[in-house]
């Protein structure tokens, strides 16, 4: 199988994840049919597309949450069980463990990996300092606001120092104020760690604002409708949102999106 | 206002006592059948502090606790085992539901044949009834564990056993406590009934029955109140334990 550039991705970009011949069916519905794609290393990729096109399905398949029918997904040529990755669910309320304090939730993946207690503590302290988190992590998740809980979820995903981070509409259950705050948190996480990040979003503004690359999907069976670059410098701010490049990229994405919606 | 609202539950108690006094005063019922609240509570006090009622109360508590412990010891591991596979539970669900719906009192003759006249029969029938109630709650608690939470553990690389001990077990705890509360209530009902009829010489059921036979009405009412307080107290005890150990329940 050739690992060549896909739909507008420049050849110079080194692929981190290679998806080849991916097929997925739910009953009679063909969601993916021989889908090929390369996820570039160290970039933040937003996945955007019409409702039900399989945005979440894509990252769930990559992260091994749902089985695939055919195809191969490799991470630097390695399989999923050979790499460390993080996954952040949309529903933080049901993804965190309410019987554990926030800090113990964050350290839980290390516990699964049988990391000794002292080292777990050292690593969580390092992460907290690294991200500049100031909330009280001795509390239980249900004592925290939605945004704080999602921040804990993200920290739980980051504690293993993942090679790749997946986020499935992480902010869509939050109110607008908290969403804005959490975007900044995520941007900071990305800037600090440079981890390859795949973000599924249903908000185009958010998808463009946070991303280096926007993967636009067509209706299912999903194809790459476009793979758009957005190269504004980080940290991005409110001014980014009114900048010419942002407006141009967003308008272009919207045009592609509407073209795909009309096709259905 | 807030502070006064906390006193609301007392309104019903005062109301009941007032109605009772009025009924006694007006002799709505034969005074022999309905003693006054004062007489009744005096009988309760005397019985509990030095009389035979205290001993009967203790015996009923003992039997109820033993039967609930036996029920829990069987139902907890079995419920977790059955609940961990939905197909497994579905295949035994009818049997569990059938015996759960069978009045436990109908099992007395059978258990009498098996265990003879004595504590063994009382405790085993109560344990049998409570066991089924706890079993079905535990199994449902395990089966209804949030899928996202199980996935989250799986994504973090937790093994099947780890998912069971770290997630499923804790997820099932709130439902397990509902089962334990219902189980202990049912066990108490069965124990008190058993104490009335099956060659008993002690226990609250025996006390109620004997007081009625001897026409000692204040003692009979006192024993009924003692049984009520016991049922309420056991329920409250489990609620407090639940709030302490399952602090996330309902949140």
């Amino acid at each position: 199988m050739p690992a060549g550039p896909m739909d507008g991705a420049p050849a110079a970009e080194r692929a981190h994840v290679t998806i080849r011949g991916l097929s997925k069916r739910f009953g009679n519905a063909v969601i993916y049919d021989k889908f090929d794609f390369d996820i570039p290393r160290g970039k933040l990729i937003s996945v955007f597309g019409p409702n039900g096109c399989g945005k979440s399905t894509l990252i769930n398949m990559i992260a091994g949450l749902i089985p695939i029918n055919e195809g191969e997904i490799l991470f630097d040529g390695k399989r999923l069980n050979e790499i460390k990755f993080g996954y952040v669910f949309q529903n933080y309320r049901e993804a965190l463990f309410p019987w554990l304090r926030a800090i113990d939730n964050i350290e839980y993946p290390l516990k699964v990996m049988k990391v000794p207690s002292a080292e777990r503590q050292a690593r969580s302290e390092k992460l907290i300092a690294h991200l500049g988190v100031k909330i009280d992590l001795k509390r239980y998740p249900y004592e925290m606001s939605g945004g704080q809980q999602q921040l804990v979820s993200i920290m739980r995903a980051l504690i293993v120092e993942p090679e790749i981070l997946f986020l499935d509409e992480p902010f869509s259950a939050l109110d607008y104020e908290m969403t804005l705050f959490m975007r900044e948190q995520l941007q900071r996480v990305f800037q600090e760690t440079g981890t390859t990040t795949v973000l599924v979003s249903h908000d185009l503004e958010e998808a463009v604002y946070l991303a280096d690359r926007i993967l636009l999907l067509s209706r299912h069976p999903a194809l790459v409708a476009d793979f758009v670059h957005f190269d504004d410098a980080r940290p991005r701010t409110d001014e980014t949102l009114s900048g010419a490049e942002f407006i141009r990229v967003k308008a272009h994405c919207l045009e592609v999106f509407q073209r795909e919606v009309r096709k259905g | 206002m807030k502070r006064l609202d906390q006193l609301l539950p007392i309104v019903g108690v005062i109301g009941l006592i007032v109605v009772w006094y009025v009924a006694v005063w007006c002799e709505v019922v034969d005074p022999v059948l309905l003693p006054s609240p004062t007489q009744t509570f005096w009988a309760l006090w005397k019985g509990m502090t030095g009389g035979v009622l205290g001993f009967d109360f203790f015996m009923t508590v003992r039997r109820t606790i033993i039967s609930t412990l036996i029920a829990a010891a069987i139902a907890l591991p079995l419920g977790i085992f059955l609940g961990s596979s939905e197909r497994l539970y579905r295949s035994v669900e009818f049997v569990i539901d059938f015996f759960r719906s069978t009045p436990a009192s109908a099992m007395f003759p059978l258990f009498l044949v098996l265990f003879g006249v004595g504590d063994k029969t009382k405790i085993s029938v109560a344990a049998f009834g409570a066991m089924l109630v706890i079993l079905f709650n535990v199994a449902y608690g395990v089966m209804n564990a949030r899928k996202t939470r199980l996935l989250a553990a799986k994504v973090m690389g937790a093994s099947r056993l780890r998912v069971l001990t770290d997630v499923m077990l804790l997820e099932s705890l709130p439902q397990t406590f509902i089962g334990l509360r219902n189980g202990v209530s049912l066990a108490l009902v069965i124990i008190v009934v058993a104490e009335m009829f099956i060659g008993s010489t002690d226990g609250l059921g025996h006390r109620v029955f004997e007081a009625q036979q001897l026409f000692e009405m204040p003692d009979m009412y006192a024993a009924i109140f003692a049984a009520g307080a016991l049922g309420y107290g056991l329920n409250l005890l489990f609620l407090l334990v639940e709030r302490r150990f399952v602090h996330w329940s309902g949140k």
Side-chain angles (χ1 to χ4, degrees), chain B residues 60-61 64-65 68 180-181 184-185 187-188 227-240:
Chain B
T60 302
V61 171
T64 307
I65 297 288
T68 307
L180 285 173
R181 273 207 325 267
V184 77
S185 298
L188 178 62
L230 176 55
Y232 191 87
L234 284 173
N235 203 30
L236 192 66
L237 177 72
F238 275 84
L239 264 181
L240 291 177

Side-chain angles (χ1 to χ4, degrees), chain B residues 11-46:
Chain B
V11 174
V13 178
I14 293 171
L16 178 71
I17 292 172
V18 168
V19 170
W20 186 357
Y21 263 121
V22 171
V24 171
W25 234 355
C26 308
E27 296 195 6
V28 178
V29 189
D30 188 333
V32 179
L33 296 182
L34 185 68
S36 75
T38 330
Q39 278 175 297
T40 304
F41 288 118
W42 178 236
L44 181 61
W45 174 256
K46 257 193 340 191

Side-chain angles (χ1 to χ4, degrees), chain B residues 168-248:
Chain B
M168 276 192 182
L169 274 191
L170 289 146
E171 275 279 282
S172 69
L173 272 185
Q175 187 79 29
T176 297
F177 266 91
I178 293 174
L180 285 173
R181 273 207 325 267
N182 290 336
V184 77
S185 298
L186 182 64
L188 178 62
V189 169
I190 296 169
I191 292 290
V192 167
V193 171
E195 286 168 347
M196 283 185 182
F197 300 112
I198 306 173
S200 295
T201 52
D202 50 38
L204 282 175
H206 172 73
R207 175 88 352 250
V208 173
F209 193 65
E210 194 178 64
Q212 184 249 9
Q213 293 288 297
L214 300 172
F215 238 68
E216 290 165 349
M217 284 302 148
D219 283 347
M220 189 191 80
Y221 283 96
I224 292 173
F225 281 126
L230 176 55
Y232 191 87
L234 284 173
N235 203 30
L236 192 66
L237 177 72
F238 275 84
L239 264 181
L240 291 177
V241 172
E242 178 182 353
R243 226 171 273 171
R244 175 76 183 76
F245 290 102
V246 196
H247 53 85
W248 66 91

Side-chain angles (χ1 to χ4, degrees), chain A residues 229-249:
Chain A
H229 289 220
F230 180 53
D231 294 320
D232 259 25
R234 294 183 191 272
R236 292 169 187 170
T237 60
D238 291 348
E239 280 162 42
T240 309
L241 295 173
S242 47
E245 180 63 4
F246 176 82
I247 290 169
R248 188 191 66 75
V249 171

